[in-house]
Amino acid sequence: MRAEKERLFKLRAEINEHNYLYHALNKPVLSDQAFDQLFAQLQAMEAQYPQWASADSPVQRIGAAPVASLQSVAHQVPMLSLDNIFSEADWLEVDRRIHRRWQADAAAITYVCEPKLDGLAISLRYVNGSLVRAATRGDGQQGEDVTHTLRTVANVPLQLRDPATQGGVGALPELLEVRGEVLIPRTTFATLQAAAVQRGEKPLANARNAAAGSVRQLDPKVAASRGLRFYAYAVAESSQELPGSQRELLTWLQGLGFSLAQEIHCVSGAQAVMQQFRQLGEQRAQLPYEIDGMVIKVDSLAGQALLGFVARAPRWAVAWKFPAEEVRSRLLNVVWQVGRTGALTPVAEVEPVEVGGVTVRHATLHNAAEIQRLGLHIGDTVVLYRAGDVIPKIDRVVVELRVPEAEPVVQPRCCPECGSDILQPEAEVVARCSGGLYCKAQRLEALVHFVSRRAMAIDGLGEKWLSQLLESGQVQQPADLYRLEKKALLTLERMGERLADKILGAVEKSKATTLPRFLYALGIRTVGEATALALARHFQDLENLLQADQHTLEEIPDVGPVTAAFILGFFHQDYNRRVMRELLQAGIHWPTMELVAHGAAGSMVITGTLSQLTREEARQLLLKMGLRVASAVSAKTRAVIVGTDPGSKYTEAQRLGIPVWSEADFLQVLRQHGLWPLN
Ligand code: IVH
C-alpha cells in the first residue's frame, strides 16, 4: 500500500513537471503519446485509491459539478486598467513624464515590452501553493468567481511548483495572487468557429468574446472544451518578497509554473521601445493569439512603487495600441434588416476583401445617421476597418473615387419585411417598423412578450413552443393563441397530453385580465407597465384610448412625445386594430377601472393588520396609484382600509361617513390596477 501511495504521488509530480515543461517552458521532453500514457496511469490509480485523490491533481481539472450561478468576489487589490496611447509622439511624452517624476537625470530607463493580449483579465489566488480562487476583473473592485472554469484551463497550475525543491531559488509563498490574461488561441478559435458554423449556429463574434463566454460558463465541462489558455503578467499580492524587477518577476512566475507570452523584451530607452513596437506589429499576424497592442512597463519595481497611480491606471505602464487594420472595397448595396424589436439596421454589402486573414462581405452601419455622416452612395469606394470583430465597420468614403452614377443611400419608408410604416420619432436615432404584432421579424418577440408573466401570464407557453407554433403557421398573432386546439398542439415536437392541457388551461385563464395588463401585453414600444397603468387610469376604457390624439396623450404623466408617437403609430395600423378586436372577441375581458381619482385624490388611512401584505407594501402600492397614506382620519380622507383588530381610526371613519374598504376590497382595487398579485 505504501509503495502504491508513493507511486501515485510520484506519478502526479512527474505529470505536473511535464505540464510545466510543455506549457510554461515550451520545452516538452515527452511525446504526446508518452504523456497520455502517464496521464492514463494516474487516472486509473486515482480511481482505484479515491482516498488519495486531491483537487490539485492534474486529472481533477474537469470533474467539478456545474455551479448554479456566478458569485461576486471583492478584489483585495483592485484590478486596474491601463491608459492607451496611439503614436510615437504619445510614447515620447509618456517617457518624458516618467523621467520627470522618477529619474530626471538618468540617461535611459529600462522598460519591459509585453504583447497586449486581447483576452480577459483574470486574477488567480493561491494559498499554500493551491489554487483557491479565480476571478474576473468585473468593474475592477468586484469580479465574478470563475474558479470552476479556470481550473479547466490546461496551463493554469492547480498547484504551484516549488522553486526550492526544483533547484530554483526562494520558497513557495503562503499567499500569492497572480494576474494575467485568459484567451483562446487563434487556431483553436478557428476550429471552434468552423464547428459552430457546421452545426448551423451563428458564427462567434471574435476570440475575445468567445473566451469571455467560455470563462463565464456555469458548466466547467463546456469551458474545458474551448481550449482556453492563461498567460501571467503581474502579481497583485504575495506573502513573500518579490524580485526587484518586472523581468525577474515574470521569470519567477514562470518557475512557479505559469506560462508567459513569448514576445516579451526588456530594453533600455524610449527609442528601443519604439523599435520593439514596430517589430511586434510585424509579428502580429503570425502570433498564436490575438493582440491589440504592446504594454510598456517600467522594469524596476521600486520605480513602479515610486511612480504610483493616477485615478484607475498606473503611471509606470501604458498600452500602446495598434491602429485598426484598414482596407478598401466597393459598396455594392445596403440592405435594411429588421430586428426582433422592429429596429431597422442598415448593413452594407461590399465586394469581398481580405482583412486580417478574414474575408469580409458585410459591414455594419448602425443607423441612418451613420449613413448620413459617411455621405454614403451605392458604388462608393469605402475604407473598412476591423477592430478585432469579425464584422468590420466603414470608416469613410473615398470621395475622389466616386462614380457619376453613384446613388445616395436612403432609409426606406416602409418595412422591408411587412410593408408597415417606418417610424422615427424625433430625437430617436433608431428607426423602427410600426408593424408590431404583424411584422414577421417581430412576431416571435411580440408573442413572447404577450404571454409573459407581467402581461397576459400564459404559463407554460415559452419561446420554444411559440417559435414552433409560428413555424408551423398555427399561430401568427396573439389572437390565434385563443383559437388553439389540443389536436394541433399535440403535433408539436415533444408536446404531451398533460402539457397541452396545461397550456390550454392557462390560455383560458388569461382571458380574465386587467386593462393595464392588456395594454402592456400589446408590446407598444416604450409602453412599459407604468405607462400602461397610467393610460388605463386616464382613459378607463380602450375605446377612449383609441380616440386619443397626440396632444391628449402627452398630457398624461409618464407619456412624452416619443411614447405618444409610438402609441398613435401602433393604433394607426389596421392590422393592430384587427388583432385587438379579435382578442376581445376571443373573450378577453377586464373589470372596469375603479376610478381612484388622480390629482387631488385625498389620502388613504390604514388601520388594523392586513393579512396579505405589510403596511409598507400597502403604502407603496397606494403611492403607485397616486394616493398618499396619512396617519390620521380627517374630512379629506379618501377611504380607510380596515384590517383585523382596527383601532380608533375605524370608528372615526364611520363617524365622518368616510368610505371603508375591507382588505378584500383593497385587493380588488389593486387587481384592477394591475398591481395585484405582487410580482
Ligand atoms: S498589466 C495595472 N500586461 O490590458 C495594470 N495588462 O487596460 C495591470 N492586458 O485589463 C495590467 N496584456 O486585461 C498588463 N501584458 C499585459 C497585458 C495586459 C493584456 C490587458 C489586461 C488589462 C488591460 C489594461
Side-chain angles (χ1 to χ4, degrees):
M1 240 1 206
R2 263 228 14 231
E4 288 298 87
K5 186 170 179 182
E6 257 170 39
R7 202 161 83 79
L8 186 148
F9 278 79
K10 208 170 133 248
L11 198 50
R12 201 182 272 166
E14 214 175 316
I15 288 175
N16 278 337
E17 196 58 15
H18 284 298
N19 264 333
Y20 165 72
L21 290 168
Y22 181 86
H23 287 295
L25 298 191
N26 249 329
K27 287 194 187 113
V29 294
L30 282 188
S31 68
D32 288 0
Q33 211 184 6
F35 178 84
D36 290 347
Q37 269 176 11
L38 281 184
F39 196 85
Q41 276 176 30
L42 180 60
Q43 260 176 328
M45 284 196 83
E46 291 205 9
Q48 194 181 350
Y49 305 108
Q51 68 271 37
W52 302 328
S54 146
D56 289 345
S57 166
V59 304
Q60 301 292 331
R61 281 191 183 273
I62 305 171
V67 298
S69 63
L70 299 182
Q71 303 298 312
S72 159
V73 171
H75 295 299
Q76 242 90 39
V77 176
M79 289 181 80
L80 302 165
S81 56
L82 295 171
D83 280 340
N84 293 327
I85 58 171
F86 299 93
S87 66
E88 296 199 341
D90 288 351
W91 161 242
L92 291 172
E93 180 51 38
V94 170
D95 177 61
R96 260 197 297 276
R97 217 175 52 211
I98 292 174
H99 269 285
R100 252 199 326 270
R101 285 198 162 258
W102 175 45
Q103 292 220 330
D105 40 2
I109 289 171
T110 303
Y111 292 107
V112 175
C113 300
E114 303 174 12
K116 184 166 190 302
L117 305 169
D118 196 8
L120 64 154
I122 292 287
S123 206
L124 299 177
R125 209 170 161 84
Y126 291 84
V127 173
N128 294 326
S130 292
L131 175 66
V132 295
R133 203 188 68 198
T136 61
R137 176 169 185 277
D139 63 5
Q141 305 290 335
Q142 298 248 325
E144 283 174 321
D145 189 330
V146 288
T147 316
H148 63 297
T149 54
L150 260 292
R151 279 179 55 85
T152 72
V153 176
N155 68 341
V156 163
L158 296 176
Q159 172 74 49
L160 296 180
R161 239 177 116 254
D162 191 336
T165 61
Q166 310 288 338
V169 282
L172 210 51
E174 266 167 46
L175 172 73
L176 181 72
E177 191 162 326
V178 175
R179 297 208 167 143
E181 201 85 348
V182 68
L183 51 77
I184 299 179
R186 276 221 173 103
T187 48
T188 313
F189 180 67
T191 313
L192 290 172
Q193 188 74 293
V197 170
Q198 187 120 62
R199 288 194 300 267
E201 292 166 14
K202 221 171 80 182
L204 307 155
N206 56 45
R208 177 170 24 81
N209 286 3
S214 308
V215 164
R216 301 189 69 257
Q217 285 290 327
L218 300 178
D219 186 351
K221 288 196 184 52
V222 179
S225 69
R226 301 283 169 84
L228 295 161
R229 290 292 179 272
F230 176 84
Y231 296 91
Y233 52 61
V235 169
E237 247 190 298
S238 167
S239 58
Q240 193 174 296
E241 198 183 337
L242 297 174
S245 70
Q246 169 72 3
R247 181 62 264 187
E248 290 166 294
L249 180 83
L250 291 173
T251 309
W252 179 64
L253 286 174
Q254 190 174 39
L256 293 172
F258 292 97
S259 301
L260 306 178
Q262 294 283 292
E263 309 72 23
I264 299 178
H265 300 277
C266 194
V267 298
S268 183
Q271 294 297 326
V273 168
M274 288 184 332
Q275 172 63 28
Q276 284 303 320
F277 184 74
R278 285 190 287 271
Q279 194 177 319
L280 189 62
E282 282 161 22
Q283 294 178 320
R284 182 180 181 188
Q286 278 83 51
L287 297 184
Y289 28 61
E290 302 269 357
I291 66 173
D292 58 347
M294 183 170 91
V295 178
I296 310 159
K297 301 176 180 171
V298 167
D299 187 38
S300 155
L301 295 201
Q304 292 187 5
L306 214 126
L307 284 159
F309 296 84
V310 243
R312 304 179 62 236
R315 283 204 196 85
W316 45 266
V318 282
W320 188 349
K321 303 274 281 232
F322 292 130
E325 205 177 340
E326 289 188 349
V327 289
R328 285 184 179 194
S329 180
R330 187 179 301 280
L331 179 66
L332 300 175
N333 192 16
V334 171
V335 291
W336 297 80
Q337 293 180 345
V338 189
R340 283 163 57 112
T341 59
L344 204 58
T345 312
V347 176
E349 289 181 355
V350 296
E351 251 168 30
V353 276
E354 289 269 315
V355 198
V358 186
T359 307
V360 164
R361 295 188 170 78
H362 302 279
T364 45
L365 285 165
H366 303 297
N367 50 48
E370 172 80 355
I371 291 179
Q372 281 227 312
R373 185 184 71 75
L374 293 165
L376 210 54
H377 287 52
I378 304 287
D380 270 350
T381 299
V382 291
V383 176
L384 301 164
Y385 69 97
R386 233 186 104 225
D389 293 353
V390 170
I391 299 185
K393 299 191 172 77
I394 294 186
D395 182 64
R396 59 188 184 274
V397 170
V398 187
V399 184
E400 308 87 82
L401 296 181
R402 178 164 292 157
V403 288
E405 63 275 20
E407 290 271 347
V409 177
V410 282
Q411 180 171 302
R413 286 161 187 273
C414 297
C415 172
E417 286 283 344
C418 72
S420 302
D421 299 342
I422 296 293
L423 286 185
Q424 184 160 21
E426 269 179 58
E428 287 275 290
V429 230
V430 181
R432 289 179 196 276
C433 162
S434 61
L437 305 174
Y438 176 59
C439 182
K440 266 213 176 78
Q442 298 170 66
R443 274 180 193 165
L444 181 60
E445 185 89 347
L447 285 167
V448 168
H449 174 76
F450 185 83
V451 304
S452 66
R453 205 159 49 92
R454 286 157 169 271
M456 300 304 285
I458 306 183
D459 278 352
L461 199 53
E463 174 161 350
K464 196 178 72 178
W465 300 120
L466 288 171
S467 72
Q468 278 195 54
L469 288 167
L470 270 174
E471 255 160 50
S472 66
Q474 295 185 59
V475 169
Q476 298 193 346
Q477 43 104 334
D480 295 337
L481 295 173
Y482 294 88
R483 291 187 270 263
L484 275 179
E485 284 175 13
K486 187 162 168 184
K487 215 168 57 227
L489 271 180
L490 287 173
T491 63
L492 302 183
E493 219 174 291
R494 274 191 251 263
M495 174 66 74
E497 287 266 346
R498 272 182 51 198
L499 195 52
D501 285 335
K502 186 175 159 233
I503 290 173
L504 290 175
V507 169
E508 192 56 34
K509 192 168 147 226
S510 75
K511 287 180 182 173
T513 185
T514 66
L515 180 55
R517 271 179 182 268
F518 178 76
L519 293 176
Y520 173 64
L522 293 176
I524 305 168
R525 246 349 282 149
T526 75
V527 176
E529 284 176 287
T531 311
L533 179 61
L535 290 171
R537 283 224 315 257
H538 185 92
F539 292 104
Q540 297 196 42
D541 74 34
L542 189 58
E543 247 349 277
N544 294 342
L545 171 58
L546 290 180
Q547 274 153 30
D549 57 14
Q550 177 96 16
H551 179 73
T552 329
L553 285 169
E554 282 186 38
E555 276 177 356
I556 299 166
D558 214 33
V559 176
V562 171
T563 300
F566 280 129
I567 295 171
L568 286 176
F570 183 91
F571 291 138
H572 179 74
Q573 302 286 323
D574 286 343
Y575 182 82
N576 291 337
R577 287 194 174 238
R578 202 180 86 214
V579 170
M580 286 194 293
R581 210 164 42 239
E582 287 179 17
L583 284 168
L584 298 182
Q585 278 162 4
I588 288 188
H589 62 278
W590 50 83
T592 47
M593 295 288 291
E594 145 88 6
L595 175 64
V596 176
H598 33 71
S603 51
M604 300 287 296
V605 172
I606 306 175
T607 176
T609 313
L610 301 176
S611 65
Q612 306 262 358
L613 63 185
T614 65
R615 276 277 172 108
E616 181 52 26
E617 282 167 338
R619 199 177 67 81
Q620 291 295 338
L621 292 168
L622 288 165
L623 269 178
K624 277 196 191 167
M625 293 193 285
L627 289 164
R628 279 185 310 107
V629 176
S631 50
V633 179
S634 77
K636 284 200 219 125
T637 304
R638 167 91 178 73
V640 178
I641 299 172
V642 179
T644 46
D645 299 326
S648 62
K649 293 173 201 161
Y650 179 36
T651 32
E652 185 63 9
Q654 285 175 321
R655 194 178 68 78
L656 293 172
I658 290 181
V660 168
W661 295 359
S662 67
E663 180 168 354
D665 294 336
F666 177 42
L667 294 183
Q668 181 59 21
V669 173
L670 287 177
R671 210 171 276 126
Q672 285 164 3
H673 285 78
L675 294 170
W676 190 261
L678 294 178
N679 280 303

